[in-house]
Amino acid sequence: MRKKVLIYVQAYNAEKTLERCLKSIEMQTYKEFECVIYDNGSKDDTEKIANRFSEKDGRFIVVHRDENDTTLFFRYFVPLFVEKYTGIIDYFCNLDSDDEYKADFLEKSITFLEKNELDLVASGGDFIDANTGKCVSKREVEQDLIIEDQNFGSYFPIYHQFMRTIWGKLYRFSLLGKIDCERCMCMAYGGDTFFVFNILHFCKRIGIMNKNLHKYYMSLKSSSYTFSEKRIESDTKLLQEAITFLVYKVGYVSPMNQNFLMQVYKNAISDTIGVLFDSTEKVETKYYLLCKILNDFYTKLLIQKMWFDKEFADLFIKIASLMVADSQIVEEHYADIARLLAKMGLFVESIKNVDKSTIFLMQVIIRENWYNGEFPLQNETHMLDEAKEMPYFQNISRSFLKQYGTIIGMSMSKKRKCIALNQVMDIFMGDEKIVSNCLEELLQLGINLSAELEQADRYVYLEKEYIRYLITNNQVGKAQNELQDWNEILPEDQDFKRMRELIENE
């Protein structure tokens, strides 16, 4: 007696693709199957199409639900299948309602599984552009692969990609009764991967055929391209599940697999971040969720170990740019974003639609928090060149940039110039020690700011400090010129009189 297969198809508003999907099942060369079609609350003609197949072929069974419920497979169907079909069904497989099998999928999968005494067999797949119908990539192995014992560790980077999806595989039906449905239901994203790795715990031997027997249609409407906040937690759970699986199977996670998993995690959070920022969430929400991703233990480890490439770095700079450029982001977040860039060793040179002051202030924070303490000379030169474009800083020194970068950045913006002047005054009137080789530049900046802002008292105070500086540093000629001007403006000022007398006595 030939072994029997249970095929599960879950459909939601799939009227455009379901017929193609079910037709590929109907045309299988292996005929001993039963196909359960679950219409998950569709509002289009999905149910009609499913019923048409059921009416002409008793192997197709339709279950309809009025409301959409994405957890029903784990919450209802898996327990039902185990109760109803144990001892009757030998194998299980799943096909998405917008995908299709090649005609010999079942026959070749069963033959390969039984020949090699496997618990699970995967086949290669073609990835099809849903809009054009063209194959854009393939998932395949060069030769048939059998995995058991320690090979679960040594072959992990090879077979991992095949285990990320529930489809494209044939499972021994008995495995369904062993999975933890409650844990699988908790996954808002990546439920396929979680399901498969849960099953792999109970597999002694698995295999991958070097035959492409499944067609996966890629569409932007796929759940892979829509955003849910729980997706962030799912990225972490999938990594933890893979680590748990390797420890269970081979006793440890090798350096090779550790590095591989961190690359997988990097790609996962890159996708999550990309989907997040293409979503319609408010900017403040995007910022909050981005911080949630970046404060995750594994993301911190990724950044600490520098396990990321230029593509990831460019994505992060792009996102930081978009956030800073949005007027809804409150100003204190600029510093947080800059500190995150610094931890990753990333320097932002320009951001569209953002004033120079904000960019410069971010650069200052990046410089102060640079990940290994060695701030690149080319980045510092870039900051100097930016500052020299401003009238106040045409002769700016590196030491002044290093010591008072924040004040320089504040001075570049009309709305922040008053803050910059306040900071200058706090330095001169407080207990802070002023770096000697920066004193003249700081005084000149304060004088220029107070003049522009028409704050006469501060202007006079700083002019007096500047003249004292000139006298102390034996620049008597400059001091006399300055005092001559003030003799005409404030001839009776006692401070100016004493400074003139000091010069005359010398």
Side-chain angles (χ1 to χ4, degrees):
M1 185 175 176
R2 300 190 84 189
K3 302 288 181 72
K4 195 169 184 180
V5 184
L6 175 65
I7 306 172
Y8 177 76
V9 177
Q10 183 167 302
Y12 175 68
N13 291 343
E15 62 179 9
K16 294 181 180 179
T17 62
L18 184 59
E19 184 151 358
R20 178 185 68 203
C21 166
L22 299 181
K23 192 72 176 176
S24 77
I25 296 173
E26 183 182 50
M27 298 300 292
Q28 288 296 301
T29 56
Y30 190 92
K31 303 299 182 181
E32 297 298 318
F33 67 81
E34 188 168 306
C35 177
V36 174
I37 310 162
Y38 169 46
D39 174 24
N40 194 8
S42 299
K43 307 302 179 185
D44 60 5
D45 287 337
T46 294
E47 185 180 12
K48 290 181 181 179
I49 296 168
N51 286 339
R52 192 163 67 242
F53 277 84
S54 177
E55 288 165 4
K56 69 177 181 178
D57 190 335
R59 294 175 300 175
F60 290 88
I61 301 168
V62 180
V63 178
H64 175 77
R65 181 179 174 85
D66 292 333
E67 299 297 327
N68 184 271
D69 185 348
T70 57
T71 68
L72 213 62
F73 173 68
F74 295 113
R75 188 164 54 83
Y76 175 73
F77 279 106
V78 171
L80 175 67
F81 291 159
V82 171
E83 180 182 347
K84 182 178 179 180
Y85 291 113
T86 297
I88 301 173
I89 293 292
D90 301 284
Y91 304 115
F92 169 81
C93 57
N94 177 91
L95 183 62
D96 286 351
S97 60
D98 55 350
D99 294 344
E100 63 178 306
Y101 288 141
K102 293 184 180 180
D104 53 356
F105 171 82
L106 289 179
E107 186 168 2
K108 288 186 175 177
S109 296
I110 292 172
T111 300
F112 189 84
L113 184 147
E114 292 184 342
K115 177 184 176 182
N116 294 287
E117 299 180 338
L118 306 175
D119 296 305
L120 176 160
V121 59
S123 66
D126 298 335
F127 287 74
I128 312 295
D129 186 318
N131 294 321
T132 65
K134 294 181 179 180
C135 180
V136 295
S137 64
K138 294 178 181 290
R139 178 187 290 171
E140 55 192 354
V141 288
E142 294 181 359
Q143 59 186 21
D144 293 341
L145 185 65
I146 304 299
I147 302 157
E148 61 181 333
D149 300 327
Q150 290 299 308
N151 285 341
F152 276 105
S154 54
Y155 289 162
F156 186 74
I158 300 174
Y159 71 79
H160 178 270
Q161 61 176 317
F162 292 88
M163 302 302 149
R164 297 183 66 180
T165 55
I166 190 173
W167 45 260
K169 299 172 189 63
L170 186 76
Y171 308 81
R172 288 197 183 274
F173 185 81
S174 57
L175 292 170
L176 279 185
K178 298 178 180 180
I179 66 170
D180 187 337
C181 291
E182 289 293 330
R183 291 184 69 217
C184 291
M185 279 193 297
C186 294
M187 299 296 292
Y189 173 79
D192 276 20
T193 309
F194 201 82
F195 169 85
V196 176
F197 273 92
N198 203 275
I199 275 184
L200 285 176
H201 278 76
F202 307 102
C203 295
K204 292 183 178 180
R205 281 168 63 91
I206 65 172
I208 304 174
M209 293 183 287
N210 70 332
K211 294 177 176 62
N212 288 18
L213 304 176
H214 181 277
K215 292 183 178 181
Y216 175 75
Y217 286 80
M218 298 184 295
S219 169
L220 289 178
K221 292 183 179 179
S222 166
S223 61
S224 300
Y225 300 96
T226 55
F227 182 76
S228 165
E229 182 176 348
K230 290 185 178 179
R231 176 171 176 159
I232 298 170
E233 298 171 5
S234 297
D235 289 337
T236 301
K237 287 180 179 179
L238 289 174
L239 174 59
Q240 291 171 334
E241 183 69 10
I243 292 171
T244 301
F245 164 75
L246 284 170
V247 172
Y248 177 79
K249 279 294 184 184
V250 298
Y252 67 102
V253 181
S254 68
M256 175 190 72
N257 286 333
Q258 183 185 58
N259 184 66
F260 173 76
L261 282 173
M262 291 308 293
Q263 292 299 322
V264 170
Y265 177 71
K266 178 211 72 178
N267 292 335
I269 63 173
S270 294
D271 289 344
T272 297
I273 290 171
V275 173
L276 169 62
F277 278 86
D278 287 338
S279 72
T280 57
E281 296 286 343
K282 293 181 179 179
V283 179
E284 279 289 336
T285 302
K286 290 179 180 180
Y287 174 77
Y288 161 75
L289 294 173
L290 177 64
C291 289
K292 187 174 181 179
I293 294 170
L294 295 170
N295 285 322
D296 182 87
F297 170 80
Y298 294 104
T299 309
K300 288 180 177 179
L301 182 63
L302 183 75
I303 293 171
Q304 179 186 345
K305 299 290 187 180
M306 302 299 284
W307 277 328
F308 57 85
D309 52 21
K310 184 178 183 300
E311 184 179 354
F312 183 72
D314 289 344
L315 171 69
F316 199 87
I317 288 178
K318 177 185 174 183
I319 290 164
S321 300
L322 289 172
M323 293 186 70
V324 175
D326 197 296
S327 60
Q328 295 180 57
I329 286 289
V330 292
E331 198 160 306
E332 57 260 32
H333 292 338
Y334 298 161
D336 295 332
I337 295 170
R339 276 188 283 271
L340 290 171
L341 288 169
K343 288 179 182 178
M344 298 176 69
L346 303 178
F347 183 75
V348 55
E349 293 188 1
S350 63
I351 301 175
K352 293 180 180 179
N353 304 319
V354 177
D355 63 277
K356 288 186 177 181
S357 172
T358 297
I359 298 170
F360 195 87
L361 287 169
M362 289 185 68
Q363 292 171 348
V364 170
I365 295 167
I366 290 172
R367 189 190 193 289
E368 292 172 350
N369 294 273
W370 196 248
Y371 73 104
N372 66 357
E374 296 294 330
F375 190 66
L377 182 62
Q378 64 187 40
N379 293 350
E380 189 172 87
T381 300
H382 176 83
M383 293 178 67
L384 281 168
D385 291 341
E386 279 191 332
K388 287 176 181 179
E389 292 179 6
M390 308 301 290
Y392 297 165
F393 307 111
Q394 292 179 353
N395 298 311
I396 186 174
S397 65
R398 289 184 184 274
S399 57
F400 188 67
L401 170 65
K402 181 177 180 180
Q403 193 67 32
Y404 299 111
T406 301
I407 296 177
I408 295 170
M410 292 288 185
S411 302
M412 292 180 176
S413 167
K414 287 185 177 179
K415 65 179 181 179
R416 297 187 178 111
K417 283 184 178 180
C418 189
I419 299 173
L421 179 57
N422 287 341
Q423 291 180 352
V424 171
M425 296 303 298
D426 287 343
I427 291 171
F428 280 103
M429 304 185 77
D431 297 327
E432 182 177 340
K433 186 177 180 180
I434 303 173
V435 179
S436 58
N437 62 347
C438 296
L439 179 55
E440 183 173 11
E441 288 178 272
L442 189 61
L443 283 166
Q444 289 288 2
L445 175 58
I447 290 167
N448 288 327
L449 286 171
S450 56
E452 183 177 346
L453 295 171
E454 298 181 350
Q455 295 194 18
D457 290 345
R458 289 180 167 183
Y459 180 76
V460 173
Y461 172 84
L462 291 167
E463 274 285 355
K464 290 177 178 178
E465 290 296 315
Y466 179 57
I467 295 171
R468 290 191 183 97
Y469 165 81
L470 293 174
I471 295 171
T472 303
N473 287 272
N474 297 317
Q475 299 184 45
V476 177
K478 283 186 178 182
Q480 286 176 326
N481 291 335
E482 292 287 334
L483 285 169
Q484 186 174 350
D485 292 336
W486 283 104
N487 188 44
E488 297 176 5
I489 300 170
L490 295 174
E492 301 302 322
D493 186 276
Q494 295 301 310
D495 290 327
F496 288 127
K497 282 184 176 182
R498 279 192 289 271
M499 284 188 278
R500 280 195 298 271
E501 291 173 356
L502 181 62
I503 292 175
E504 291 169 359
N505 292 334
E506 289 183 355

